[in-house]
Amino acid sequence: MRDERTGLPVVIVAGLHSDARKEAVDQLLRTVPGSIALHHDLSTAADGTVRRTLRDAAGEVSSGETPLVNDCACCALREDLVPELARLAASGLTRLAVVELWDSVEPKAMAEVVVAHGGDALELTNVITAVDPALVLPCLGNGDDLAEAGLAAAATDQRTVGDTWARQLEYAPVLALVDSEDADDADRALLAQLHPTARQVGARSAELARLAFAGFDVETAAAAQHPSCALLPQEADEAGVATLVWHRRRPFHPERLYEALEDLTCAAARSRGRFWLADRPDTLLAWDAAGGALCVENAGPWLASLPDAAWEMVPAMRRAAAALDWHAEHGDCCQHLVFTSPGLDREGLAQLLDSCLLTDAEYASGREAWRRLPGAFDSLLDPVS
């Protein structure tokens, strides 16, 4: 029995690699006495229900169904997850609840649900993504919609396999790796460069159980993913896999960047970061690409554009990140993009990016002239409702 003075420890195990995920969950059930795994199978969502299963090291303990909510399997999961965990907590017999997420469910959303609604009864103690190193690149490079792959969580789910896998991989502080005969040095180098701060452990290692209780902070994890202060990878080159960190202080010309988007998106298996458009000089823009698909989003204002009084409302991590990147003239406005891929043409990519920046003459014309440049990104950033 666990200490009654604390909430029920909850660890989330995520990932598209279902066999690897099961291996990691099985290891936790074997090595943590009194542990229970909770899994919601969303593959039955087309029939109008989500199947819930509870199992321990000996096998299935119970199962049931929960109806869809708003025709959304993930919504049903959110509505059912915390009550089930709270029931386990109330029993006082469970030492660790292992939430095994279904293939395309992203851990960030579920981690925040547990923390927001679990109260004192639940304590999120870590998030783990299970990985087969040989499948990292195939998943990352898969531009198919989840619906095409039979992995959509709702009729309106427009995510792709590649971008979903990237977020699953990069959010978790712990990666549980299975042994794979098909994995080579390039696969392992790619994994290390995509998420260099992650703790990598074997899915069958004894250390996995210890890490399940290590602790987890959803606010820190969210900040680490936000484009304004993301912990982006550093320059690297190993086993034919390279990472380019491209950092500049001059804004992009919107038309030249837009014309180069296809080449830039396809130049790497994964690219992400923040960027600055001359015609929107006060707006921090997010760049997120995987599987040949690019998502560009408005991530709010650069801090340099805010009045001093507004800084008190900005999270401390955001202020600290801006301070580290501050420029006397432009503040935190900058280009900070990271590209990771096997066979990356770093020199050619850097030249293409540089060619999209304002020229000396354009830069010298000043911000008012910049704002009058053609709004090539308007259709992406200001969609008609």
Side-chain angles (χ1 to χ4, degrees):
M1 295 177 63
R2 69 178 188 277
D3 187 340
E4 294 181 357
R5 293 171 299 176
T6 63
L8 171 63
V10 177
V11 60
I12 292 175
V13 180
L16 278 171
H17 305 163
S18 56
D19 290 343
R21 198 179 63 234
K22 182 178 184 302
E23 189 170 315
V25 172
D26 287 348
Q27 173 67 5
L28 291 172
L29 295 179
R30 285 192 300 267
T31 56
V32 181
S35 57
I36 294 283
L38 171 62
H39 178 62
H40 288 81
D41 185 349
L42 308 192
S43 64
T44 59
D47 299 324
T49 59
V50 171
R51 180 177 172 79
R52 178 206 318 116
T53 303
L54 286 170
R55 63 188 179 96
D56 59 17
E60 186 173 303
V61 174
S62 67
S63 64
E65 292 184 344
T66 183
L68 289 191
V69 177
N70 300 324
D71 198 30
C72 169
C74 262
C75 299
L77 191 165
R78 284 193 291 268
E79 292 293 322
D80 194 64
L81 179 63
V82 171
E84 280 298 308
L85 291 173
R87 186 178 62 79
L88 290 174
S91 74
L93 300 174
T94 304
R95 184 182 171 208
L96 175 69
V98 183
V99 176
E100 180 189 355
L101 298 181
W102 189 67
D103 299 36
S104 69
V105 178
E106 296 183 27
K108 180 178 185 291
M110 294 304 112
E112 292 174 352
V113 164
V114 171
V115 171
H117 303 289
D120 294 334
L122 306 175
E123 180 186 358
L124 181 64
T125 53
N126 220 334
V127 174
I128 298 168
T129 293
V131 180
D132 181 338
L135 298 179
V136 172
L137 183 58
C139 285
L140 198 62
N142 189 336
D144 291 346
D145 292 338
L146 290 177
E148 296 174 18
L151 297 173
T156 57
D157 197 338
Q158 297 183 335
R159 295 174 296 156
T160 69
V161 174
D163 64 44
T164 301
W165 169 239
R167 286 189 293 271
Q168 289 178 336
L169 179 69
E170 293 158 5
Y171 182 75
V174 177
L175 302 180
L177 276 56
V178 298
D179 292 330
S180 175
E181 295 180 356
D182 297 325
D184 57 20
D185 289 343
D187 295 320
R188 286 181 277 272
L190 176 61
L191 185 58
Q193 291 180 36
L194 288 170
H195 194 352
T197 63
R199 182 69 174 270
Q200 294 189 17
V201 296
R204 294 186 179 181
S205 72
E207 188 180 8
L208 191 64
R210 182 182 65 80
L211 291 171
F213 293 92
F216 187 83
D217 185 274
V218 292
E219 292 184 1
T220 300
Q225 297 300 306
H226 193 278
S228 66
C229 49
L231 299 176
L232 297 172
Q234 301 298 306
E235 291 269 351
D237 193 345
E238 182 182 357
V241 179
T243 294
L244 168 71
V245 177
W246 187 77
H247 193 275
R248 300 289 188 272
R249 288 292 178 182
R250 187 172 292 196
F252 279 123
H253 187 287
E255 280 190 321
R256 288 199 293 275
L257 178 62
Y258 191 84
E259 290 171 359
L261 285 184
E262 183 174 353
D263 289 339
L264 292 171
T265 302
C266 296
R270 176 73 171 134
S271 57
R272 51 190 158 135
R274 52 189 177 271
F275 69 103
W276 187 26
L277 280 179
D279 64 321
R280 296 169 181 257
D282 297 329
T283 304
L284 189 158
L285 297 168
W287 177 290
D288 194 293
L294 171 66
C295 178
V296 171
E297 291 183 320
N298 181 335
W302 295 103
L303 293 196
S305 69
L306 296 178
D308 292 345
W311 279 54
E312 294 182 4
M313 296 181 287
V314 175
M317 285 190 67
R318 172 78 190 276
R319 295 198 302 270
L324 289 172
D325 211 19
W326 200 259
H327 183 269
E329 183 179 359
H330 301 305
D332 57 333
C333 303
C334 69
Q335 319 290 2
H336 190 169
L337 298 175
V338 176
F339 297 78
T340 299
S341 188
L344 188 71
D345 179 6
R346 297 164 85 169
E347 183 177 344
L349 180 54
Q351 289 178 351
L352 178 57
L353 288 162
D354 286 339
S355 73
C356 298
L357 295 173
L358 295 185
T359 64
D360 290 346
E362 290 165 343
Y363 180 74
S365 66
R367 287 193 171 219
E368 290 308 310
W370 301 353
R371 293 179 190 275
R372 294 192 293 271
L373 291 170
F377 281 76
D378 290 356
S379 61
L380 294 178
L381 296 170
D382 303 317
V384 178
S385 58

